[in-house]
Amino acid sequence: MLPVCRPSAVYPVAVVAPPPQVGLADAPPPEVWTRIPQGTPGTLGGVGLRLLQALFAAASIAVMASTDIFPFCSAFSYLIAATSLQCLWSIALAFVYIYALLVKRSLINLRAVRIFFIGDWITGTVTLSAACASAGITILIDNDVKYCEALPCLRLRTAVTMAFISWCALVPSFLFNFAYTTTALARLGMWA
């Protein structure tokens, strides 16, 4: 067995603190993004995505409204209503993002991103369901009934395609907002 040495008294030791390092005082906390990814709220990428969503939704509205059949088919009327909602939501958020860029404010906070997330979820679901319903009717008219000689099937297909592209431009915005919301809620302990 080895002998164990136990000191009977504790003596203070003078320790010199290291000099402060320059630049660390201004560093953000570890959970704060130092570089905000493009496509998130308040960035140029976010503005671009919102403008693309509005552009393709407006194109879908214009092409569908140029046909004579849309008032008589509920799926096409639903597509007009859904893409109108998508267009208004995207334009409103594009203006908010542009304002945030001009005043150099960040829109990355839990309350704002949660509103964007829920709004994207609702408008995305409505737009996708309207595009799918209209695509089903367009395929029925084109392939099954063979009634395209009397109807403008190319314009119907174009309007449905523009609605799908508008929804595809919405998906990255939704995913950025969803990812931020879930990680922020998990960090706060509000998400199991």
Side-chain angles (χ1 to χ4, degrees), residues 53-54 56-62 64 76-90 123 126-127 130-131 159-160 162-164 166:
Q53 295 164 20
F56 284 112
S60 177
I61 293 167
M64 185 59 77
F76 297 148
S77 298
Y78 180 43
L79 182 69
I80 293 279
T83 52
S84 298
L85 176 68
Q86 178 67 47
C87 189
L88 291 173
W89 173 255
S90 299
T123 58
V126 169
T127 302
V160 170
M162 294 296 153
F164 275 118
S166 176

Side-chain angles (χ1 to χ4, degrees), residues 62-148:
V63 172
M64 185 59 77
S66 70
T67 65
D68 296 332
I69 191 174
F70 91 89
F72 305 110
C73 182
S74 60
F76 297 148
S77 298
Y78 180 43
L79 182 69
I80 293 279
T83 52
S84 298
L85 176 68
Q86 178 67 47
C87 189
L88 291 173
W89 173 255
S90 299
I91 287 174
L93 287 186
F95 285 142
V96 170
Y97 291 4
I98 290 169
Y99 177 75
L101 285 172
L102 290 176
V103 297
K104 296 182 181 6
R105 295 288 172 117
S106 176
L107 289 176
I108 304 295
N109 63 51
L110 184 57
R111 184 173 293 157
V113 174
R114 194 183 305 176
I115 291 170
F116 301 153
F117 160 64
I118 292 170
D120 284 344
W121 186 10
I122 292 168
T123 58
T125 303
V126 169
T127 302
L128 181 63
S129 65
C132 289
S134 297
I137 296 297
T138 304
I139 289 172
L140 173 75
I141 292 171
D142 189 16
N143 294 344
D144 298 336
V145 181
K146 307 278 188 212
Y147 201 57
C148 271

